Amino acid sequence: MRIFSGIQPTGRKHLGNYLGAIRQYVEGQERGEGIYCVVDLHAITVAYDVVELRARVLDTTAMLLAAGLDPARCTLFRQSDVREHTELCWLLASVTAHGDLNRMTQFKEKSARQRELISAGLFLYPVLQAADILAYQTDEVPVGDDQRQHIELTRDIAQRFNERFGETFKVPVHRIPEVGARIMDLQDPTQKMSTTAGSEAGLVFVTDEPGAIVQKLRSAVTDSGGEVVCGPDKPGITNLIEILAVVRSSKVDEVEASFAGGGYGDFKQAVADELVEYLGPVRERYVELRGDERALEGVLAEGADRARAIAAATLATVRERMGVGAT
Ligand code: TRP
């Protein structure tokens, strides 16, 4: 079972990133062969700062290691270090429908936010993502809920390629967690927790100090009524119940049962305390790991060597099937 995922090199990871995706990476490394990629080539499709990008890649690498990825058991690398990704992106672009790319909601959202340039790279973003995944003959892609459409497109591209050029790619499936795939903003629980949309008070960062976490949880928006139960008319409480269910590795109804008869105040305090305990060790490891940039670069370099060996084999087959390059 081969598991692949990519993660954006954004600076601070929040609870949505952690519970929706990162947590699944760690779990994936127990279940199969995990290959994880920090996608700096995706990051350059929107406005960015050159110096900052390099730092953000190391931030994200340190965060993944702090969360529990073990370079001895999985492959962790930087996308741009394995040039096969860009080559495969171009090759796949010719079996991708322009109309499909036009329908991608992430493209529409991100292009609406650009002030200056809407790059062609942003339009091709999902093709590069398909290349990331298909280069490794991936079985399963752990992602948050927002990536559903991109994984569907990846499947379409693989199928179209296989029909046109013969069986070449494994058609991957996505793995979206049942609970925790969509963590909502604490101040506006009808919106997904997100650095681009949310306010600071609505987001919990993995590296937040305990005091900040408690403060944010205490002032989280709750709903009318007083019972700790999920419901469509209770987005605030539902979100907090989901967070606690993931933190406790238990089920939503077990969390509800454990607060039967209790009020919102005690419940919010419990979520805050348990979250502090859950994230504390990650924050401490992060600070330590982030301090040693040479060690982080070493992990990425070794990961890239392993990744390249797999991707290069796929590329050789693809080039042959497509009739490009010397035989
Ligand atoms: N687009 C993904 C995101 O925004 C990141 C990503 C890039 C990815 N390549 C990938 C995710 C391959 C899964 C598989 O989160």
Side-chain angles (χ1 to χ4, degrees), residues 89-153:
C89 174
W90 179 255
L91 297 172
L92 293 178
S94 35
V95 292
T96 306
H98 182 275
D100 286 347
L101 293 179
N102 244 336
R103 277 191 285 279
M104 293 291 123
T105 50
Q106 192 169 301
F107 171 70
K108 289 186 214 167
E109 281 166 20
K110 285 197 178 182
S111 52
R113 278 203 301 271
Q114 297 313 302
R115 296 257 167 80
E116 284 163 18
L117 175 74
I118 298 172
S119 71
L122 189 59
F123 189 68
L124 282 175
Y125 179 119
V127 187
L128 181 59
Q129 183 164 348
D132 295 342
I133 297 166
L134 299 178
Y136 298 93
Q137 305 293 359
T138 301
D139 295 293
E140 220 179 77
V141 189
V143 281
D145 189 59
D146 63 328
Q147 294 300 309
R148 210 179 271 272
Q149 199 184 27
H150 286 164
I151 310 303
E152 275 307 311
L153 180 73

Side-chain angles (χ1 to χ4, degrees), residues 57-67 285-286 289-290 296:
V57 169
L58 297 180
D59 291 349
T60 302
T61 304
M63 178 52 68
L64 293 174
L65 296 172
R285 279 196 299 271
Y286 173 81
L289 289 158
R290 186 62 185 87
L296 295 173

Side-chain angles (χ1 to χ4, degrees), residues 207-216 272 275-277 280 283-284:
T207 51
D208 273 346
E209 297 288 334
I213 296 179
V214 172
Q215 176 61 34
K216 288 174 184 181
L275 200 53
V276 164
E277 210 167 301
R283 187 185 77 246
E284 282 161 25

Side-chain angles (χ1 to χ4, degrees), residues 12-19 183-187 193-195 199-210 212-218 220 239-240 243 271-272 275-276 278-279:
R12 294 192 293 169
K13 293 296 176 194
H14 56 69
L15 206 53
N17 305 132
Y18 196 86
L19 302 184
I183 300 296
M184 310 307 272
D185 189 288
L186 298 181
Q187 289 300 316
M193 188 176 282
S194 150
T195 32
S199 66
E200 178 88 22
L203 280 94
V204 173
F205 292 101
V206 179
T207 51
D208 273 346
E209 297 288 334
I213 296 179
V214 172
Q215 176 61 34
K216 288 174 184 181
L217 264 298
R218 272 211 199 119
N239 190 38
L240 297 180
I243 290 171
V271 180
L275 200 53
V276 164
Y278 180 79
L279 294 178

